[in-house]
Amino acid sequence: MMRRRQDGEVLLARHWDKAAEDWRETELRQVEPNVWANDTLEVAVAMDSVEAWASLFPGIQTYPRLEACAPAWPTSALRQMRPWSLKGIGTVVFDARTFKEQVVDLALDAEGPILFPGGAQKLGLAYAGVLADIQEKLANSSVWDNLWDTEAPLPTTFNKLLRSSAAVREGMLDLGLAKFNGRTRRAVQLGKRPFGWEYAPRLDSHGAAMRSVDPGGTAEKAGVRAGDVILSIDGRQVFNSHIDEIEKQLMENQLPITLEIEQPVVGAPLYLREAMPGMLGRMCGDEAEEAACEVIPEMEGLIDGVNQIPEQNPFFFAGDGGTGASFRPDNLPQPQVCHVLNGMTLFGFGDSNSLPSFCRDFTEIKFLPGGPLAKQQADYLASSAVSIVACRPGDIVVFWGGQPYFSANGLGSSGPMVSMFYGLGVDAGLRQAGE
């Protein structure tokens, strides 16, 4: 495997130790742009990008030029990702054995992401056999084309999307690009708890949008409808407040509570996150869904140090090119695993100890590949404080969820980005004990 550390680039090579009759790992430090060496063993390795990929990833194409995937990002940042599709600190794994034996320890170290190009094939995972079918079925389509059960032409209200798609009802539709034109804005008064509703973040962890409203309940009688977004509570603006703060006000404010709400209008591009496996089945068929859902029992039997993964099934994400997830750490940090099934996804990882002022409060900052991108965001992407990996179908990326991170779905792919996520459930105390 290859590791990029703060003190330079390192190749970790396995060699046979005749005296110990065992395999050993040896560090080869980069001494020239394409030369890594070890003085003790008197070994030097010289490889350009083509030779590296041909020898380490047989049958897997080199990564395309990333400028077309993220045209709004600084070129200097994207150039740093050659040839390994990694910028900044992190690890690129070359073989299945290293991944199985070391990925948990690498993730707990929290020294950037761990990328395993072609990992699905090298590990022999079931979904590797249906990747070509997934890409064929999603070619030249959008999220919208694949998920709607009834006719609901875009743009339309969030309420109509919830009624039109089981996948939207089961997952979380990102409303960051939704329009609020004021036409459905209104005030309602809630005089009795429970209110009879289910809401979720408008974005990753901020704002609140109604997913469902109980028939005959307090909220429905007051005029609240599924899809409504809360703008203010008792005159206090909460449109961009953290979901925990909104919940606190709804639970603790004195009755009656006055809400200002509005029904947003949603159009393309779309980004659906944390959806159930049925989303993949609707997009690509039952065979793809069944193969993808085998990944958790398969990985439990492969990865050293992981006895049981908490989730029964992975969560699925589908995003049109140009969408992405906000920059933030997980609420419950653990090693996270992402398998990319279609499209190109860029992941960025920051250092909690060196965050710039504009993103320290994690108020839904996005690094969208097509922009808009403020100068301070572009400067941050190009700096040494951010690690970035690019992932294609069949790639696996693992990272410590306690790091602030974001995702960006690349432009120019044939069809939407589709991926699946789950946490390894390894006790976070293991990481603390090792620090």
Side-chain angles (χ1 to χ4, degrees):
M1 66 182 173
M2 187 278 292
R3 297 195 73 179
R4 281 185 175 155
R5 299 171 173 167
Q6 296 288 6
D7 61 347
E9 194 161 297
V10 177
L11 279 173
L12 294 182
R14 290 182 184 272
H15 72 280
W16 182 255
D17 187 327
K18 292 181 179 180
E21 296 186 346
D22 196 5
W23 288 97
R24 301 290 188 189
E25 283 190 344
T26 300
E27 288 191 356
L28 282 74
R29 292 276 174 171
Q30 188 173 29
V31 294
E32 295 180 21
N34 287 310
V35 178
W36 292 261
N38 180 288
D39 294 335
T40 303
L41 294 178
E42 297 181 349
V43 171
V45 179
M47 297 186 299
D48 63 21
S49 60
V50 176
E51 291 171 342
W53 278 93
S55 59
L56 297 171
F57 304 107
I60 300 176
Q61 294 182 346
T62 56
Y63 284 81
R65 292 178 61 85
L66 297 175
E67 286 81 354
C69 298
W73 284 19
T75 303
S76 59
L78 299 174
R79 284 178 178 168
Q80 292 178 57
M81 300 177 70
R82 300 171 187 162
W84 304 106
S85 191
L86 167 67
K87 170 194 173 292
I89 63 172
T91 303
V92 180
V93 176
F94 304 146
D95 64 285
R97 176 179 173 178
T98 299
F99 183 87
K100 295 173 185 178
E101 295 178 354
Q102 299 193 31
V103 69
V104 170
D105 289 338
L106 289 169
L108 291 173
D109 284 345
E111 293 186 357
I114 302 101
L115 176 65
F116 191 8
Q121 294 92 333
K122 291 198 171 189
L123 292 172
L125 301 178
Y127 77 85
V130 297
L131 282 175
D133 292 338
I134 289 174
Q135 293 169 62
E136 181 180 353
K137 289 177 180 177
L138 297 180
N140 303 313
S141 69
S142 67
V143 172
W144 173 261
D145 296 330
N146 290 285
L147 290 181
W148 313 124
D149 306 327
T150 60
E151 188 67 24
L154 288 177
T156 189
T157 65
F158 187 27
N159 179 279
K160 288 183 179 178
L161 289 189
L162 288 165
R163 290 189 279 122
S164 299
S165 173
V168 173
R169 292 191 295 273
E170 295 167 359
M172 307 282 185
L173 186 68
D174 188 288
L175 296 174
L177 298 176
K179 306 297 183 184
F180 293 82
N181 54 29
R183 295 175 185 173
T184 60
R185 189 168 301 179
R186 60 205 186 278
V188 298
Q189 196 170 74
L190 306 172
K192 181 181 178 181
R193 295 186 176 96
F195 300 133
W197 59 24
E198 179 190 352
Y199 59 87
R202 178 179 65 86
L203 300 173
D204 291 284
S205 57
H206 289 70
M210 297 297 153
R211 292 171 52 80
S212 63
V213 178
D214 296 344
T218 299
E220 188 194 52
K221 289 179 179 178
V224 180
R225 299 292 178 262
D228 284 339
V229 170
I230 300 177
L231 306 179
S232 69
I233 302 175
D234 290 334
R236 180 178 177 182
Q237 296 296 314
V238 296
F239 184 72
N240 287 318
S241 297
H242 194 278
I243 190 69
D244 292 344
E245 174 58 28
I246 294 173
E247 183 172 5
K248 184 174 185 293
Q249 291 189 48
L250 292 172
M251 294 295 294
E252 297 180 0
N253 281 21
Q254 185 176 349
L255 296 176
I257 293 176
T258 299
L259 303 182
E260 185 182 26
I261 56 177
E262 183 173 344
Q263 185 72 214
V265 176
V266 181
L270 298 177
Y271 180 40
L272 185 65
R273 52 192 174 81
E274 298 177 41
M276 297 295 103
M279 183 197 80
L280 185 65
R282 293 183 186 94
M283 298 179 80
C284 303
D286 293 342
E287 184 180 1
E289 178 184 344
E290 291 168 5
C293 286
E294 290 182 33
V295 72
I296 286 181
E298 287 177 319
M299 294 294 276
E300 285 176 339
L302 286 174
I303 301 177
D304 290 357
V306 176
N307 297 318
Q308 185 173 8
I309 294 172
E311 287 97 341
Q312 265 191 316
N313 292 305
F315 289 104
F316 289 82
F317 293 67
D320 291 319
T323 61
S326 303
F327 189 46
R328 84 277 182 222
D330 290 338
N331 291 328
L332 297 172
Q334 60 179 313
Q336 294 281 2
V337 185
C338 173
H339 301 254
V340 177
L341 306 178
N342 195 66
M344 169 76 80
T345 301
L346 300 157
F347 291 96
F349 304 87
D351 184 345
S352 299
N353 298 317
S354 59
L355 291 173
S357 58
F358 73 90
C359 58
R360 284 177 188 161
D361 56 359
F362 302 116
T363 52
E364 303 297 343
I365 298 294
K366 292 178 183 276
F367 295 87
L368 300 180
L373 205 66
K375 184 180 183 302
Q376 58 187 359
Q377 291 178 274
D379 291 344
Y380 183 54
L381 285 177
S383 73
S384 60
V386 181
S387 295
I388 303 173
V389 289
C391 306
R392 303 178 302 178
D395 291 354
I396 302 172
V397 63
V398 183
F399 57 92
W400 173 248
Q403 294 175 274
Y405 66 95
F406 64 86
S407 68
N409 300 320
L411 297 164
S413 297
S414 180
M417 180 285 303
V418 179
S419 63
M420 53 183 174
F421 271 84
Y422 52 89
L424 290 179
V426 178
D427 188 354
L430 291 174
R431 176 172 181 261
Q432 296 168 355
E435 289 179 338

